[in-house]
Amino acid sequence: MSFETPLPPYNASDPHATFLNSSCFDLLLIEMVPLAHRLAEQLTAERGAVTTRLDEEEQREAAFRRLDHLGYRVGQGLVERFSRDRPRFTDTLDMIKFLCKDIWTLVFRKQIDNLKTNHRGVYVLTDHSFRPFARMSMASPSETLARVQPFLWFPCGIIRGALASMGIQATVQAETAELPGATFQIKTITTKS
């Protein structure tokens, strides 16, 4: 899969040549959050429940789970497809670098700007111009932080799914201090034998 304009000659009948219109992908990412919220509202309404503060929190959690799960599957699929011709990764840092360079470039057309680690299973990925936030603006900073958080759930799922496909179980948290930047914190989960 490539976001680059294909250079002639290219064979459109090649089963391995796939091209994606990046505008369509941007619009899909923009629409995923409202869709997840609408589906959560419909499920709550079908139960016949009166909307309360608790139901709003349940709806938010349902939207989070849906977006995270979608991202998880996308991350798994991307790694399965694009790491098959690579040698096996030897350590966790190599896997994180593959995520930051190759997978992030496939999805968001740029690499992660900054990767930090404490070498104890915590990695911080910083994207100073996160593509889904590139055209967002809000009236007040407090409104901004509350409204953009759901747009980070899908990329968190992509990160978790990609890492899970490479054999790393992790939790991913995302935040933004100001638009269009985003910071993703990955904590690997070590299994005790």
Side-chain angles (χ1 to χ4, degrees), residues 53-189:
R53 180 73 181 140
L54 182 60
D55 288 339
E56 289 175 14
E57 191 61 38
E58 287 176 6
Q59 288 176 2
R60 181 176 165 84
E61 184 66 27
F64 164 74
R65 282 193 309 271
R66 182 174 302 275
L67 290 168
D68 185 65
H69 183 70
L70 285 170
Y72 188 86
R73 285 294 305 133
V74 168
Q76 282 182 324
L78 287 170
V79 168
E80 287 171 11
R81 179 164 183 191
F82 293 104
S83 68
R84 69 177 174 215
D85 297 331
R86 298 175 142 280
R88 272 235 183 267
F89 296 107
T90 56
D91 67 344
T92 305
L93 187 58
D94 287 339
M95 295 176 199
I96 299 288
K97 287 179 182 178
F98 172 72
L99 173 73
C100 293
K101 292 178 181 177
D102 297 330
I103 300 297
W104 210 257
T105 301
L106 281 168
V107 178
F108 299 112
R109 292 190 294 175
K110 67 180 286 295
Q111 293 182 4
I112 287 285
D113 294 319
N114 196 354
L115 166 63
K116 293 180 183 176
T117 182
N118 66 356
H119 298 288
R120 293 187 199 114
V122 177
Y123 303 89
V124 178
L125 287 60
T126 305
D127 192 341
H128 297 296
S129 58
F130 187 54
R131 238 184 113 62
F133 294 169
R135 293 184 180 95
M136 283 189 184
S137 64
M138 303 286 171
S140 67
S142 60
E143 178 189 12
T144 302
L145 298 179
R147 301 273 314 261
V148 302
Q149 190 64 34
F151 291 92
L152 294 169
W153 296 339
F154 180 73
C156 284
I158 290 175
I159 293 170
R160 275 190 340 100
L163 293 174
S165 188
M166 293 184 278
I168 298 174
Q169 295 302 316
T171 60
V172 181
Q173 295 176 333
E175 62 184 24
T176 183
E178 64 180 80
L179 294 179
T183 303
F184 300 89
Q185 182 177 19
I186 301 169
K187 291 182 182 175
T188 58
I189 300 169

